[in-house]
Amino acid sequence: AVNHALGKNLIGAFYQPKGVFMDLSMMESLPKREIATGLGEIIKYGIIYDADFFAYLEQHADAVLALEREAAVHMIARSCEIKAAVVSEDEKESGLRRILNFGHTMAHAIEKETGYIRYNHGEAVAIGMIGAADISARLGMIQEADVARVEALVARMQLPTKAEGCTVDAMYRDIFHDKKTINGKVNWVLMQGIGKVTCRNDVPEDIVREAMAARIGK
């Protein structure tokens, strides 16, 4: 995917990999911030597809952060399995594959408003996931306890929970340039529970703005 002045990943093509290879010793050479950045996307897989995997991350947070071998192998393999399962069912992102974008609508707005400098992608996604969970709760789709679990795990994995340098008005404008926005309607990936999400394009503006305001740090 190629970024465009109007937003991230707006131009691209689809090519599926023959395999995925991860060198754990190379991963161990990464700065801690980069490890946390990757964990933002890994948390996402638990939320969108596998409640047991989300619980595993909660219960083994120390081992995950330390990249202990058993934890590292499990979280990487499971993440690859989930993505492969989703992509194989929906190669061109016409339906199911959209769930991989959980947290990304707000994340892309955060990245744009901070010049793609202040936050790494996984950090912005982490904030965006809490925002999407918040929207889900405001719509009555999940309980506040689910939002609390998402925010607690994000924080435990040493990721930010709020974005600095953003305004609600600017972020709200930005979401209409997201690739998931079709005919002026934003397709939000929202939670039905830990491990299950759905897409909705009928989220009222006031709810989006309230959730965005709650994610802006001071």
Side-chain angles (χ1 to χ4, degrees), residues 36 119 122-124 126-128 130 154-155 157-163 215:
Y119 297 102
E123 293 170 337
I127 301 166
I130 303 170
V154 165
M157 294 302 181
Q158 301 176 5
L159 287 157
T161 59
K162 293 192 175 185
R215 287 304 103 211

Side-chain angles (χ1 to χ4, degrees), residues 5-16:
L6 290 176
K8 290 193 66 173
N9 303 334
L10 293 182
I11 304 165
F14 292 91
Y15 289 93
Q16 304 309 333

Side-chain angles (χ1 to χ4, degrees), residues 142-191:
I142 61 173
Q143 301 296 315
E144 287 293 339
D146 294 322
V147 183
R149 284 182 71 190
V150 171
E151 184 165 1
L153 185 56
V154 165
R156 182 68 189 85
M157 294 302 181
Q158 301 176 5
L159 287 157
T161 59
K162 293 192 175 185
E164 298 179 1
C166 300
T167 66
V168 172
D169 286 342
M171 287 175 64
Y172 190 78
R173 285 195 302 270
D174 291 338
I175 64 175
F176 289 94
H177 297 300
D178 191 86
K179 69 176 181 177
K180 296 175 289 304
T181 298
I182 301 172
N183 296 324
K185 290 191 174 183
V186 181
N187 285 287
W188 289 94
V189 183
L190 300 175
M191 294 174 62

Side-chain angles (χ1 to χ4, degrees), residues 43-54:
I43 292 169
K44 178 191 74 177
Y45 288 117
I47 296 171
I48 68 172
Y49 202 86
D50 188 343
D52 290 340
F53 183 49
F54 187 91

Side-chain angles (χ1 to χ4, degrees), residues 15-17 20 41 44-45 48-49 76-91 93 96-97 99-101 104:
Y15 289 93
Q16 304 309 333
V20 179
E41 293 279 359
K44 178 191 74 177
Y45 288 117
I48 68 172
Y49 202 86
I76 292 167
R78 188 62 188 134
S79 296
C80 291
E81 287 169 356
I82 293 170
K83 184 164 189 178
V86 172
V87 170
S88 65
E89 288 187 46
D90 180 18
E91 184 175 288
E93 202 166 319
L96 178 65
R97 185 172 174 155
I99 71 173
L100 296 173
N101 292 314
H104 284 60

Side-chain angles (χ1 to χ4, degrees), residues 57-68 71 156-158:
L57 296 173
E58 289 178 312
Q59 294 160 12
H60 298 84
D62 290 338
V64 165
L65 283 167
L67 291 182
E68 291 182 11
R156 182 68 189 85
M157 294 302 181
Q158 301 176 5

